[in-house]
Amino acid sequence: MKEADVIVIGGGLGGWCSAIHLRKAGLKVMLIEKRQYPFHKFCGEYLSAEVEPYLSSLGLSLEKSGANRIRKFKLSSHTGKYVTSKLSIGGFGIRRYTLDYQLAILGQKEGIKLIEGKEVRKIQFESGYHKLICKDKSSYRAELIIGAYGKRTGLDKELKRDFLGSSSSYIGVKQYFDYDYPAAEVSLHNFEGGYCGMARMEDGSLNLCYLSKKEILNKYGGIDELESKVLSKNPFIKEVFHSSRKLLDKPIVISNIYFEEKNLVENHVLMCGDAAGMIFPLAGNGMAMSIHAAKILAEQIVLFKQGKLSRTELENSYQKEWNDKFASRLSWGRNFQPFMGSNRLSSFAVSSLKLLPPLLPAIIKRTHGHYLDAYTQ
């Protein structure tokens, strides 16, 4: 049975950033990813610039990665009425296909053992250690486990997580287009029952990613019909659909998207990234939150390994730090969510924001954080 100080389940942003941080601190780290790199993920792929100093200190330069710099935000109603705002610290457009893969390469250079193509099915905890059992019956052992496996997997059912009892009303769809989208802008466009984000990527393509209520999809019978009969009523979305070419053979589609609160610790497994909680995409900050949460968790784990925290203190401290940094931002996202996807309320929101120009920057500020400190050993 292979062993490590820490095993990370899931090789996304939260998984790799926590793993690289811990490896730099001298821990033996293993990361298990059920897919093979590189691969696409459902994601709006807007990364707030607040994480740039921290990523750089881990060894990843967004500038050298070619990430597209974004400084402006646009919000439109279903009819195309819109309001714009400058982004106080701005952000980047970069595909997860690129970013996750670069982190995987960096992590392996740091000495992290990457295990690809294996799916963890069970986690057992006994006498201060975890035993992981994969689908192929292989097993691994570690003192600490980080669950960074995404929005929803079979492990959530195995761990009997409470949020699985909640109903999910959203499906998500992502596609890339060869559309000449403004480089410095990220936008959200409303339609009946949902909203659509757009941002230019590091390769010049347009990421078009949207959430729709299941009932609207079911009403129109399929994604093609939904896009032609509902999304295209918004002129900004229609322009992309009618004047550019799709770059993926098939869109990336996910269902059962949960925005409810999740427990951060389950049977001593420390959750990170989307496994710990998701912010509504309208806040445009999910990627940065995953990276920030990874930093918080890694710092607490280092203290635990130094003997400065017990396991209980580690778990409690992580939960406190996570809530201090993210609870308010998540709350703002939930409070603004009802105004999105409703024709009447989205029109009201855009009209109100146009009448009160300082309001939109204030909302954006509430859902974004401050620049993260660089990693220091």
Side-chain angles (χ1 to χ4, degrees):
M1 185 185 302
K2 295 180 180 179
E3 295 191 16
D5 295 319
V6 181
I7 294 178
V8 180
I9 307 172
L13 299 179
W16 275 116
C17 288
S18 59
I20 293 169
H21 187 129
L22 292 170
R23 180 60 193 145
K24 282 182 172 291
L27 278 65
K28 184 179 180 182
V29 183
M30 186 183 300
L31 188 144
I32 303 175
E33 167 55 53
K34 67 180 180 181
R35 288 184 277 186
Q36 300 278 342
Y37 288 99
F39 53 83
H40 290 289
K41 284 185 177 179
F42 174 80
C43 183
E45 296 174 331
Y46 166 80
L47 177 62
S48 171
E50 67 200 68
V51 299
E52 184 178 14
Y54 178 62
L55 284 177
S56 180
S57 70
L58 293 183
L60 190 143
S61 167
L62 291 170
E63 182 179 354
K64 290 181 180 178
S65 299
N68 176 53
R69 175 75 71 167
I70 296 172
R71 298 181 175 86
K72 180 182 176 183
F73 173 69
K74 176 186 285 183
L75 174 69
S76 79
S77 69
H78 68 292
T79 62
K81 293 182 179 179
Y82 69 92
V83 60
T84 62
S85 173
K86 290 183 179 180
L87 294 169
S88 57
I89 62 174
F92 298 90
I94 183 168
R95 296 174 303 161
R96 295 292 300 276
Y97 184 94
T98 299
L99 187 56
D100 291 1
Y101 188 34
Q102 290 187 352
L103 285 168
I105 293 171
L106 174 62
Q108 290 175 89
K109 287 181 179 178
E110 291 285 347
I112 296 166
K113 174 64 176 177
L114 170 61
I115 300 170
E116 296 177 273
K118 290 200 176 186
E119 182 179 357
V120 178
R121 286 293 184 88
K122 290 186 179 182
I123 304 175
Q124 301 170 346
F125 182 77
E126 186 177 353
S127 302
Y129 283 85
H130 297 268
K131 180 182 179 182
L132 278 63
I133 304 173
C134 295
K135 184 179 179 180
D136 65 358
K137 308 302 181 183
S138 59
S139 59
Y140 305 87
R141 185 173 183 264
E143 188 174 12
L144 295 170
I145 300 294
I146 295 176
Y149 49 75
K151 301 169 182 65
R152 186 176 185 268
T153 73
L155 270 180
D156 291 316
K157 186 175 181 181
E158 164 70 17
L159 293 168
K160 300 178 181 178
R161 303 191 72 188
D162 291 342
F163 77 89
L164 293 180
S166 303
S167 61
S168 170
S169 60
Y170 286 99
I171 63 103
V173 180
K174 183 180 89 170
Q175 178 62 271
Y176 295 110
F177 291 84
D178 63 353
Y179 185 76
D180 187 19
Y181 186 81
E185 181 179 283
V186 63
S187 59
L188 282 175
H189 304 287
N190 278 275
F191 59 87
E192 178 192 357
Y195 48 94
C196 171
M198 298 184 192
R200 186 170 175 174
M201 299 292 101
E202 82 287 350
D203 64 347
S205 65
L206 168 65
N207 172 313
L208 186 148
C209 185
Y210 64 86
L211 288 182
S212 173
K213 290 184 177 178
K214 286 182 181 178
E215 61 195 63
I216 302 297
L217 176 67
N218 293 337
K219 176 181 176 180
Y220 289 93
I223 290 174
D224 290 341
E225 292 77 11
L226 178 69
E227 292 180 351
S228 64
K229 296 179 180 179
V230 181
L231 275 77
S232 290
K233 289 183 179 179
N234 185 307
F236 291 106
I237 305 174
K238 181 179 180 180
E239 166 68 16
V240 175
F241 286 160
H242 285 254
S243 64
S244 60
R245 178 174 57 92
K246 294 179 178 180
L247 299 178
L248 296 179
D249 293 335
K250 293 182 180 179
I252 298 167
V253 182
I254 64 169
S255 59
N256 298 321
I257 302 175
Y258 293 87
F259 293 105
E260 291 79 11
E261 293 184 17
K262 299 178 180 179
N263 293 329
L264 298 178
V265 182
E266 299 280 9
N267 193 28
H268 304 294
V269 176
L270 303 158
M271 299 299 174
C272 187
D274 287 344
M278 293 178 61
I279 191 167
F280 282 101
L282 63 96
N285 216 26
M287 291 171 70
M289 280 183 55
S290 292
I291 294 170
H292 192 172
K295 181 177 187 289
I296 292 170
L297 178 53
E299 289 171 343
Q300 301 303 310
I301 289 175
V302 170
L303 293 175
F304 169 79
K305 293 298 292 183
Q306 291 173 343
K308 297 177 181 179
L309 295 176
S310 66
R311 185 181 293 272
T312 299
E313 289 171 334
L314 161 63
E315 294 172 0
N316 290 339
S317 180
Y318 174 51
Q319 292 178 88
K320 180 181 183 303
E321 288 290 320
W322 197 96
N323 285 315
D324 286 347
K325 295 297 188 299
F326 304 130
S328 176
R329 292 159 75 173
L330 289 167
S331 178
W332 270 89
R334 293 191 197 97
N335 290 338
F336 200 67
Q337 177 69 10
F339 291 91
M340 305 295 288
S342 164
N343 290 350
R344 181 177 63 85
L345 291 179
S346 67
S347 294
F348 171 77
V350 170
S351 297
S352 300
L353 292 170
K354 286 179 75 71
L355 289 172
L356 299 168
L359 188 55
L360 184 54
I363 294 172
I364 293 171
K365 187 176 181 180
R366 290 285 186 175
T367 59
H368 284 61
H370 304 287
Y371 283 110
L372 300 190
D373 294 333
Y375 167 82
T376 55
Q377 194 163 355

